[in-house]
Amino acid sequence: MPGCKKFIFLVQGEGRGHMTQAMGLYHMLITAGHKVVHVFIGKSDRRKIPAYFTESFSCPVEAIATPNFITDMDNKSIRLIPSIIYNAKFLRKYLKSMKKIHRAVKSEKPDYIINFYEFLGGFYNLLFRPSARHIPVGHQFLASHPSFPLLKNRVIDHWLFLINNFLTSLKAYKIFALSFSEYDPWVIKNIVICPPLLRPDLDHFPAAGGTYILGYMVNDGYAGQVIEWHSQNRDTEVNCFWDRKGEPEEKMVDENLRFHQLSGEKFMLMMAGAKGLVTTAGFESVCEAMYFGKPVMMIPVEGQYEQACNAIDAANAGAGIAGTSFDLSRLIRYIPEYKPVDKTFKAWLAKAENIILKELD
C-alpha cells in the first residue's frame, strides 16, 4: 500500500471478538507504516470495556452509545422484539454518537473507516456520507457465500440476520468476510474472504496439554449451568471467563472451579494450557482454540441465529462439536476423538496480511 494511510475504527463492544479483531488489524496496519487515529467502541450497561483493549492503542479510544441486545432475566438468551423496542427509545442518543464519529472524521480526515460489525457504522456512512472509504469486517458477512451453512428452516431469523448484515454494511467500499477456513474462490459484489484477525502475540503463549477445561461465556447467565454440572463432577478442574459486574478478578467456587474476569493475557495463557474449550459460539475464541490445537464445544447463545450458524461452520472446519448447554461431559468424551487442525489453520492465518493490505491498496 503506497504511502501512509489514516484509519478510524468503529468497534462493536459485545463480547471480546470484535475487540480482538480491532487489536489484530491495528498491529498489522501500524507495522505496515499506517496510522490509526481514533477508535470508537460501543458501550453497554451490561458490560465494561476491558482495560487490555484500551491499552492496546496509542490513539484515543472513545466509548459511545450504540444499540444493544436485551437478554432474558437469566442473562442467557437474546430477546429480539424487546431489543428493537428498547433501542428505538434511544435514537437521539445514537444520533449523538454518530455526530461524535463525524467530528473525528472531519478533524482527522481518514482514508478508511474500518467497521468491526458496529451497527451504527452503516447508518453513519449512509447519513453523513464521509469521503473516507467504509470497510465493514466480520465473520457474519460470510453468510453471503453459497457454501456457508445458513439454517434456512428458521426463515425469520435467516432474513433478519441478512438484513442486519446489509444495514451494518451500508455504503461499503469493500467488505472483509472473516472465515475459519479457506472457501472456494468466489467473488460477489465487493466481499473479500479473509483469514481471522487474531492477536499478534499468540506465539508468546506456549501450548501444552492441560489438566483443566477452559470456559468462556459472552452472557454470564450460563454460569449456573457450569456450577450445576460441576456439583456432580467435582474432580474435574474448570476455569471460566466472564464479565459479570461486581465480582472479583477471580471467584473461587471451590478448589476445582474458578470464574475469572476477562483479561486478554490471562485468557490466552490459560487457553494455551487447557485440554479443551467450552464456549458460546462466537468467532475469535474458537479461532484461538484452533490455533493452539484445542478441541472446542460451542453452545450458541439462545436467540442468536448467527451463533447457531457459526457452530456448524466451525465444526465443518474441524474446530470441534456443537452443543445446546454447558454440559462439559460431552466435551470430555469428545476430546480423545479430536484431530488438531492447527497446522492447516495457521497456514490460512498466514495469508491475512497479504490479502488485507492488498485489498486496501
Side-chain angles (χ1 to χ4, degrees):
M1 217 171 12
C4 173
K5 299 292 198 312
K6 294 171 73 174
F7 295 78
I8 283 180
F9 284 2
L10 310 180
V11 187
Q12 185 195 128
E14 287 285 313
R16 57 182 290 273
H18 304 286
M19 290 184 270
T20 299
Q21 293 167 13
M23 292 161 57
L25 185 58
Y26 174 78
H27 180 268
M28 184 186 297
L29 295 173
I30 296 302
T31 302
H34 305 293
K35 292 182 179 180
V36 177
V37 294
H38 208 114
V39 175
F40 291 95
I41 180 166
K43 64 182 178 181
S44 165
D45 292 336
R46 294 188 297 129
R47 309 187 193 284
K48 61 180 181 180
I49 299 170
Y52 73 80
F53 177 77
T54 56
E55 293 167 357
S56 297
F57 301 91
S58 60
C59 63
V61 178
E62 184 175 356
I64 56 173
T66 60
N68 288 283
F69 285 118
I70 299 298
T71 63
D72 63 7
M73 293 296 291
D74 296 325
N75 195 22
K76 292 194 293 186
S77 66
I78 297 299
R79 301 174 64 205
L80 185 59
I81 300 302
S83 295
I84 295 172
I85 296 171
Y86 172 82
N87 284 297
K89 297 186 296 184
F90 299 103
L91 294 180
R92 287 187 179 181
K93 184 183 290 187
Y94 302 149
L95 181 59
K96 288 182 179 179
S97 294
M98 289 188 278
K99 288 180 178 178
K100 284 184 180 180
I101 295 169
H102 196 54
R103 284 196 292 269
V105 169
K106 288 197 297 183
S107 172
E108 298 289 353
K109 296 178 174 58
D111 299 286
Y112 294 94
I113 297 171
I114 308 295
N115 177 11
F116 296 91
Y117 211 69
E118 171 48 58
F119 188 67
L120 283 188
F123 285 99
Y124 166 73
N125 280 275
L126 178 67
L127 297 175
F128 290 83
R129 298 183 178 272
S131 59
R133 290 169 168 175
H134 177 212
I135 299 186
V137 177
H139 177 61
Q140 294 86 345
F141 298 115
L142 197 62
S144 296
H145 195 289
S147 298
F148 187 78
L150 288 168
L151 303 173
K152 295 184 180 180
N153 60 316
R154 292 168 57 177
V155 177
I156 295 176
D157 290 336
H158 170 77
W159 284 107
L160 286 174
F161 178 40
L162 295 181
I163 289 169
N164 195 65
N165 281 355
F166 170 75
L167 295 175
T168 305
S169 61
L170 287 168
K171 305 296 291 183
Y173 168 65
K174 290 181 181 178
I175 297 172
F176 291 166
L178 307 181
S179 174
F180 291 115
S181 58
E182 292 193 67
Y183 269 60
D184 292 335
W186 165 83
V187 175
I188 180 171
K189 295 182 180 178
N190 55 349
I191 300 176
V192 181
I193 299 176
C194 302
L197 288 164
L198 302 184
R199 291 172 54 121
D201 59 349
L202 292 183
D203 283 338
H204 298 171
F205 301 95
T211 59
Y212 56 86
I213 298 294
L214 182 66
Y216 169 64
M217 51 197 68
V218 68
N219 292 341
D220 61 40
Y222 289 101
Q225 292 183 4
V226 175
I227 293 171
E228 182 180 354
W229 180 88
H230 181 71
S231 68
Q232 305 298 319
N233 301 272
R234 294 189 180 277
D235 291 337
T236 302
E237 185 180 357
V238 182
N239 287 280
C240 283
F241 282 79
W242 62 2
D243 61 354
R244 179 175 288 181
K245 288 185 176 181
E247 296 290 357
E249 288 299 312
E250 181 176 313
K251 179 177 181 178
M252 186 172 179
V253 178
D254 61 33
E255 61 180 6
N256 276 337
L257 176 58
R258 296 176 178 84
F259 288 90
H260 309 266
Q261 291 287 354
L262 277 179
S263 162
E265 294 291 314
K266 189 176 185 181
F267 181 77
M268 293 317 309
L269 186 62
M270 299 196 78
M271 169 79 82
K275 64 180 179 181
L277 171 71
V278 57
T279 179
T280 42
F283 184 68
E284 267 62 37
S285 295
V286 175
C287 286
E288 289 159 351
M290 293 172 73
Y291 182 93
F292 288 115
K294 307 294 182 179
V296 189
M297 183 170 76
M298 297 154 284
I299 295 88
V301 171
E302 294 177 39
Q304 276 210 16
Y305 174 80
E306 165 205 333
Q307 289 209 353
C309 298
N310 279 357
I312 299 172
D313 190 35
N316 290 343
I321 56 174
T324 56
S325 70
F326 278 75
D327 176 9
L328 276 59
S329 297
R330 281 202 64 208
L331 175 61
I332 291 170
R333 290 193 297 268
Y334 169 71
I335 288 174
E337 305 172 12
Y338 172 70
K339 296 179 180 179
V341 293
D342 52 314
K343 291 183 179 178
T344 304
F345 181 76
K346 288 178 180 178
W348 170 229
L349 197 65
K351 298 179 180 181
E353 184 171 349
N354 182 57
I355 292 173
I356 290 173
L357 294 183
K358 180 180 178 181
E359 292 294 336
L360 290 174
D361 187 355

